Amino acid sequence: MSTPVTKATDQPLLAVRDLSKHFEVGRSGGLFSSRPRLLRAVEGVSFDLHRGQTMGLVGESGCGKSTTARCIVGLQRASSGSIRLDGEELTTLSARQWLPHRRRVQMIFQDPYASLDPRQTVGSILAEPLAIHSTERPKARRLRAMALLDAVGLNPRHLNRYPHEFSGGQRQRIGIARALALEPELIICDEPVSALDVSIQAQVINLLKELQQRFNLAYLFIAHDLAVVRHICERVAVMYLGRIVEEADRDTLFTNPAHPYTRALLSAIPVPDPAAEATRNRILLPGDVPSPVDPPNGCPFHPRCMHAPEIPADACTRDRPQLLPRDTASRPDSPHHCACHLP
C-alpha cells in the first residue's frame, strides 16, 4: 500500500459547519396533525479535522456521535449544514456522485461481527471494495487482500476463512483492513474497541496509531471511554444532546475542562490507585438526559447542571449558550471552545 502524499496547506481535510440531522417521529398534534414531531439527533455541530490528526468525539449514549459520523460518510443525509472534504461540499451529492468519495472516507464500525457478512470469506470481504472501485483482475485483488491482512497483523493465508472463525479482536482487525482497502485519507472509528476485552483494546488502539503514522491517516474517533480517547486523540469534542458543548486539545480538556458536563465526565474516570480512588470527588449528575424530541429551553444541560442557580437573570434557562473561544493566551495555536454561561 502506498503512503498518501500530504498537501502543504492549512485547509482542513474535513470541515463540518452547523451540521444538523432531524428524524420525524410522528405528529405533534395527534393523528390528523400536519406538523411533524422532530427528534433533533444532531444540532449545529461544527469542527475541523486536519490530515494526520485524530479527533475524539465523546459523550453519553444517544448524544448524536454516531449520527454525526453516518452523515459524514454519507450513510444518512444531513438535514442542514455543510460537510466539506478537502474543500468539496458533500451534503448536496447524489448517491452516484458520492461514489468517488468513498475511496477517501471509510468507516470502522462498533460491532466487528455485525459489520462483516457471515456468508462471505475474508478474502471476498476485502476484495469487494476493490472490485467496485477499480478494474484490477481477481488475482490482483486477492494479492491486495493478503497484503491488507498482513498490514493489520493477521495471517494472509486465512483469506478463505469466514468471520465466525475469528475472535472478536481478529474480526475488528478485518474491519480495519477493509477500511484501508481503498487507501482512504479519513477513517471514522465508531467506538471500534468498546466491544472488545481490555487487553485486546490496547492491541487494536496501538494498531490504529501505527497505521496512522504509516499511511498519514486522519481519524474521527468516537468513544465513551475517556481513557482510550486520552491515549489516541490530539483534540477532543464533547457532545451533549446533539450539540458540541466543549472542544479543546487533549491536554487542555483533561487538565482544565471548562464545561460542567465535561468535568462530570472526567470525574467518572477510574483511578488505578485504590487510595486515590477512595478519596476522589466524583460529580454525580441529577436526573436523566432530556428527550431530543422535546429539548429544554436555554442551555440543554441546565436541568442537570450544579452551576445553573449561580448564573444571574436565569440566563441558563432562557438563552442557549454559543460555542465560543475561551482564554487561550497560553496556547494561541490550540483554540479552546466552550458553550456555557459560566465566566
Side-chain angles (χ1 to χ4, degrees):
M1 297 175 64
S2 60
T3 303
V5 177
T6 304
K7 297 179 181 179
T9 176
D10 291 332
Q11 176 178 274
L13 173 64
L14 176 69
V16 178
R17 294 291 180 271
D18 295 322
L19 176 66
S20 296
K21 177 60 180 177
H22 303 159
F23 298 94
E24 187 174 323
V25 293
R27 301 290 170 177
S28 59
L31 181 62
F32 300 104
S33 172
S34 59
R35 187 174 60 182
R37 295 181 71 211
L38 296 179
L39 188 153
R40 302 177 186 275
V42 178
E43 191 75 17
V45 166
S46 299
F47 62 85
D48 289 339
L49 178 60
H50 293 264
R51 285 177 172 80
Q53 185 183 53
T54 301
M55 181 171 183
L57 200 58
V58 304
E60 295 173 278
S61 296
C63 70
K65 305 185 299 295
S66 294
T67 302
T68 299
R70 294 174 71 86
C71 289
I72 292 171
V73 298
L75 294 177
Q76 291 177 339
R77 184 172 289 275
S79 300
S80 62
S82 170
I83 302 171
R84 290 185 176 273
L85 183 66
D86 209 8
E88 186 168 353
E89 182 62 50
L90 301 181
T91 57
T92 57
L93 300 181
S94 65
R96 181 179 295 275
Q97 291 170 327
W98 242 107
L99 189 60
H101 296 283
R102 300 286 183 200
R103 301 183 65 98
R104 306 178 65 191
V105 185
Q106 290 291 303
M107 190 164 182
I108 302 170
F109 296 90
Q110 178 178 359
D111 187 343
Y113 191 70
S115 63
L116 301 176
D117 189 341
R119 298 169 297 179
Q120 286 187 301
T121 64
V122 170
S124 298
I125 290 171
L126 298 181
E128 185 175 23
L130 299 173
I132 294 172
H133 289 271
S134 71
T135 57
E136 291 181 351
R137 294 182 177 276
K139 184 177 180 179
R141 295 198 292 266
R142 181 178 178 84
L143 292 175
R144 180 63 183 280
M146 295 176 69
L148 288 167
L149 285 181
D150 183 65
V152 298
L154 294 178
N155 192 332
R157 300 177 182 177
H158 293 167
L159 281 180
N160 294 323
R161 291 188 177 185
Y162 289 87
H164 73 269
E165 300 180 71
F166 294 88
S167 67
Q170 290 174 325
R171 286 197 290 264
Q172 193 59 292
R173 288 172 183 264
I174 296 168
I176 294 171
R178 180 178 60 183
L180 289 172
L182 297 174
E183 300 185 5
E185 300 169 63
L186 168 64
I187 295 182
I188 312 292
C189 305
D190 189 4
E191 303 204 36
V193 297
S194 62
L196 306 177
D197 294 338
V198 175
S199 60
I200 306 301
Q201 286 184 9
Q203 296 176 18
V204 173
I205 290 297
N206 290 334
L207 172 64
L208 289 173
K209 293 181 70 175
E210 176 189 333
L211 294 171
Q212 182 178 42
Q213 294 175 356
R214 183 176 174 185
F215 302 118
N216 193 36
L217 298 168
Y219 291 144
L220 179 62
F221 194 90
I222 297 170
H224 60 266
D225 188 334
L226 291 175
V228 172
V229 169
R230 187 171 193 173
H231 181 66
I232 195 173
C233 299
E234 287 93 34
R235 291 192 64 80
V236 184
V238 181
M239 289 189 70
Y240 183 80
L241 206 64
R243 294 177 176 273
I244 291 179
V245 296
E246 187 166 6
E247 182 196 351
D249 67 272
R250 172 189 56 201
D251 295 336
T252 298
L253 189 96
F254 279 85
T255 59
N256 188 28
H259 198 280
Y261 178 63
T262 307
R263 293 201 290 271
L265 288 180
L266 295 179
S267 75
I269 301 177
V271 179
D273 183 356
E277 174 69 17
T279 58
R280 72 186 175 102
N281 182 24
R282 182 174 179 182
I283 301 173
L284 299 177
L285 298 177
D288 298 318
V289 180
S291 170
V293 178
D294 187 22
N297 294 326
C299 175
F301 185 62
H302 87 260
R304 308 176 71 193
C305 182
M306 69 294 290
H307 297 292
E310 305 170 11
I311 306 301
D314 297 326
C316 291
T317 60
R318 187 187 65 248
D319 302 322
R320 177 175 291 146
Q322 301 300 310
L323 192 66
L324 300 175
R326 308 300 260 193
D327 180 17
T328 54
S330 59
R331 297 194 63 182
D333 60 327
S334 183
H336 182 186
H337 295 84
C338 180
C340 184
H341 291 301
L342 278 173

